[in-house]
Amino acid sequence: MFTLKFYKYYLLYILLKHDIFTSYILIVLKLQADGGNYCACVNASTLALIDAGIPIKEYVCACTASLANGDVPLIDITHLEETTGGPNLTVAALSTSGNSLFVLYEK
């Protein structure tokens, strides 16, 4: 749903246009899901691009935060913490500029 749209924008934003005929295929496979799946995929994609030596403008880092029992802040939440009913905030931020590439708030 929003993930494919995000990845299209993500790749267009961070990749340098050094060759217009170059295309990249990025496949992310989750082997185990214990919450934070979206952020893990974004972070793994960024590390894969860096490891492959593909020139990028800046890297993207994603993380999810929540409130347990309405007042205890949690970062990088698990599936159990995600389903407790507290609000969840997912943010994908750019490293150098500090701009947010993606923000999702769920109650």
Side-chain angles (χ1 to χ4, degrees), residues 31-107:
L31 299 177
Q32 182 178 354
D34 185 29
N37 300 327
Y38 178 76
C39 296
C41 290
V42 170
N43 294 334
S45 300
T46 301
L47 290 174
L49 292 172
I50 292 169
D51 186 53
I54 297 171
I56 57 176
K57 295 178 187 175
E58 54 186 310
Y59 61 89
V60 178
C61 182
C63 190
T64 301
S66 182
L67 288 175
N69 300 327
D71 61 348
V72 179
L74 303 171
I75 296 179
D76 194 23
I77 59 176
T78 64
H79 180 69
L80 179 63
E81 295 165 341
E82 189 175 349
T83 58
T84 58
N88 297 334
L89 178 66
T90 302
V91 177
L94 298 169
S95 61
T96 308
S97 65
N99 294 331
S100 296
L101 191 60
F102 177 79
V103 176
L104 176 67
Y105 176 74
E106 300 172 312
K107 276 191 171 185

Side-chain angles (χ1 to χ4, degrees), residues 8-27:
K8 182 178 177 183
Y9 181 68
Y10 165 78
L11 289 174
L12 288 175
Y13 185 82
I14 68 167
L15 292 176
L16 291 173
K17 304 247 182 203
H18 62 282
D19 184 0
I20 61 171
F21 299 109
T22 303
S23 62
Y24 303 100
I25 297 174
L26 191 61
I27 298 172

